[in-house]
């Protein structure tokens, strides 16, 4: 019998997140490292959002999707990192049942939405390179908003179902989660029942939901590659490919570890290794995305220089 969140009849009222290490000195070093990473992630993604909003030249579908990506990165890294930082220094590493429920849902919803957004961004590159003259007609603002809103609604609903079934399992035994946040598979292993069938179904769904966006991204880039090869000039080929390089880089950073965690056989489960690998798609991807897009993107650089110049002029005027 499934229980309604907030009225769970299981014995566990809170979970203990084991994190990485128990040595105070090591935890202090990790706190400084992860704090810097978190601050850089938030400021980097925040800067991209600000530049895209302020510069009218960046009000295009590509940068609209990039702005949404930066928001998602800020959201799901904030879902896990602040609590992990507190647990690195605090003696207590507990999280309430409701808090675990919320964290698992929000993280799953944002991460799944990002998966779908990468497909939308691949479609954006496909239209831009394969149908450049019809780009603004095909990818109009109405379609952009519908693609974004549809992705959010579908992925937030699917994450709600996934979280509901996981957190409504009976938890009457150990409450120590061998992870630094309430990740679905790690929490589900504490359930006081045989979860073999549930894990098998969950794995099948993860494979299907993972292969679908990857297949669409690959299909888009197959058509993009064909279109680029038809370009006669070397400079034209390089310019066309450079517009896709940033997207391919961040997709690889995200899907690589994410595929390993959620699509590999349960027999290869290793808590310590999984915690380390999950840092890549949770923490480092949010840090690398703004770096990749800002260093390789001339429009972002120009917008940044323009904002700096305007701020200098404003300061000079006030003085």
């Amino acid at each position: 019998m499934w229980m309604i969140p907030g009225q769970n009849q299981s014995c566990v009222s809170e979970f203990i997140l084991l994190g990485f290490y128990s040595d105070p000195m090591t935890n202090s070093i990790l706190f400084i490292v992860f704090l810097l990473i978190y601050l850089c992630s938030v400021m980097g993604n925040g800067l991209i959002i600000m530049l895209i909003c302020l510069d009218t030249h960046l009000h295009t579908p590509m940068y609209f999707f990039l702005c949404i990506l930066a928001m998602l990165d800020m959201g799901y890294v904030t879902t896990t990192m602040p609590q992990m930082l507190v647990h690195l220094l605090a003696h207590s590493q507990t999280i309430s049942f409701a808090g675990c429920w919320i964290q698992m849902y929000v993280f799953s919803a944002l991460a799944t939405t990002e998966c779908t957004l990468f497909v939308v961004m691949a479609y954006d590159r496909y239209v831009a390179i394969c149908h450049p003259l019809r780009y603004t007609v095909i990818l109009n603002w109405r379609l952009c908003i519908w693609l974004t809103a549809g992705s959010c609604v579908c992925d937030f609903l699917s994450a709600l179902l996934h979280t509901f079934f996981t957190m409504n399992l009976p938890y009457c035994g150990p409450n120590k989660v061998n992870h630094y946040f309430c990740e679905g598979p790690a929490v589900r292993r504490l359930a006081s029942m045989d979860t073999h069938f549930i894990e098998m179904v969950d794995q099948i769904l993860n494979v299907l939901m993972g292969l679908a966006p990857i297949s669409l991204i690959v299909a888009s880039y197959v058509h993009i590659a064909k279109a680029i090869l038809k370009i006669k000039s070397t400079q034209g080929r390089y310019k066309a490919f450079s517009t896709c390089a940033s997207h391919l880089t961040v997709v690889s950073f995200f899907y690589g570890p994410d595929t390993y965690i959620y699509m590999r056989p349960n027999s290869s489960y290793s808590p310590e290794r999984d915690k380390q690998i999950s840092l890549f798609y949770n923490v480092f991807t949010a840090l690398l995305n703004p770096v990749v897009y800002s260093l390789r993107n001339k429009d972002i650089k120009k917008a940044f220089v323009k904002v700096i110049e305007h701020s200098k002029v404003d300061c000079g005027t006030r003085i």
Side-chain angles (χ1 to χ4, degrees):
M1 176 179 175
W2 300 113
M3 279 101 36
I4 299 172
Q7 297 180 345
N8 199 295
Q9 298 174 9
S10 61
C11 305
V12 173
S13 61
E14 63 182 17
F15 291 101
I16 299 174
L17 300 174
L18 297 182
F20 293 98
Y21 301 97
S22 58
D23 177 53
M25 181 60 70
T26 305
N27 285 346
S28 299
I29 296 173
L30 288 176
F31 174 83
I32 296 173
V33 172
F34 286 133
L35 177 62
L36 292 175
I37 291 175
Y38 174 66
L39 292 176
C40 290
S41 299
V42 172
M43 289 189 293
N45 285 289
L47 179 62
I48 285 183
I49 295 170
M50 182 189 72
L51 293 176
I52 292 174
C53 291
L54 292 178
D55 195 330
T56 55
H57 293 94
L58 300 181
H59 292 178
T60 63
M62 183 181 79
Y63 292 107
F64 170 74
F65 295 133
L66 178 57
C67 184
I68 300 299
L69 177 65
M71 291 180 184
L72 292 174
D73 283 338
M74 287 180 64
Y76 79 73
V77 77
T78 302
T79 304
T80 59
M81 286 288 285
Q83 184 183 56
M84 182 180 71
L85 292 170
V86 172
H87 285 177
L88 283 171
L89 297 183
H91 295 291
S92 175
Q93 295 177 309
T94 60
I95 180 172
S96 66
F97 193 93
C100 187
W101 207 105
I102 294 171
Q103 185 183 60
M104 185 186 300
Y105 169 65
V106 174
F107 178 82
S108 178
L110 294 176
T112 309
T113 304
E114 183 154 332
C115 287
T116 308
L117 184 66
F118 282 134
V119 178
V120 175
M121 295 175 77
Y123 176 68
D124 168 75
R125 292 299 83 208
Y126 161 75
V127 176
I129 293 175
C130 298
H131 305 283
L133 299 180
R134 300 177 57 205
Y135 178 70
T136 54
V137 176
I138 296 174
L139 218 59
N140 54 67
W141 282 111
R142 184 179 179 181
L143 179 61
C144 291
I145 293 172
W146 272 108
L147 287 172
T148 305
S151 300
C152 291
V153 171
C154 293
D155 292 325
F156 271 68
L157 286 176
S158 65
L160 181 61
L161 290 174
H162 175 272
T163 308
F164 181 83
F165 289 131
T166 297
M167 296 306 291
N168 279 273
L169 293 171
Y171 295 97
C172 296
N175 67 336
K176 293 183 178 180
V177 181
N178 196 358
H179 216 292
Y180 63 90
F181 74 100
C182 285
E183 192 237 12
V187 174
R188 194 164 52 237
R189 291 180 180 276
L190 302 179
S192 304
M193 63 174 287
D194 184 8
T195 60
H196 178 72
F197 176 75
I198 297 174
E199 289 179 354
M200 183 177 66
V201 173
D202 189 60
Q203 188 174 11
I204 293 173
L205 292 175
N206 284 335
V207 170
L208 292 175
M209 293 179 66
L211 288 179
I214 292 174
S215 299
L216 291 172
I217 292 173
V218 170
S220 297
Y221 275 102
V222 167
H223 289 287
I224 289 172
K226 290 180 180 179
I228 291 176
L229 291 175
K230 292 179 181 178
I231 300 175
K232 295 181 179 180
S233 66
T234 305
Q235 185 178 1
R237 289 182 181 179
Y238 175 79
K239 184 177 180 181
F241 177 76
S242 64
T243 62
C244 305
S246 298
H247 180 250
L248 283 172
T249 302
V250 297
V251 165
S252 301
F253 280 134
F254 185 86
Y255 272 104
D258 184 65
T259 300
Y260 173 81
I261 293 292
Y262 293 103
M263 296 173 62
R264 49 99 169 98
N266 291 326
S267 58
S268 62
Y269 176 75
S270 173
E272 296 303 323
R273 184 175 59 212
D274 284 10
K275 282 189 289 186
Q276 296 168 2
I277 293 175
S278 68
L279 284 172
F280 281 93
Y281 72 84
N282 177 205
V283 179
F284 293 111
T285 301
L287 173 66
L288 291 173
N289 282 358
V291 174
V292 170
Y293 277 107
S294 61
L295 292 179
R296 297 185 59 88
N297 194 299
K298 294 181 181 179
D299 293 332
I300 294 289
K301 292 179 183 178
K302 289 180 181 178
F304 180 73
V305 172
K306 191 183 296 184
V307 169
I308 296 297
E309 290 177 349
H310 278 306
S311 63
K312 288 182 179 179
V313 170
D314 290 340
C315 290
T317 304
R318 292 175 183 176
I319 294 173

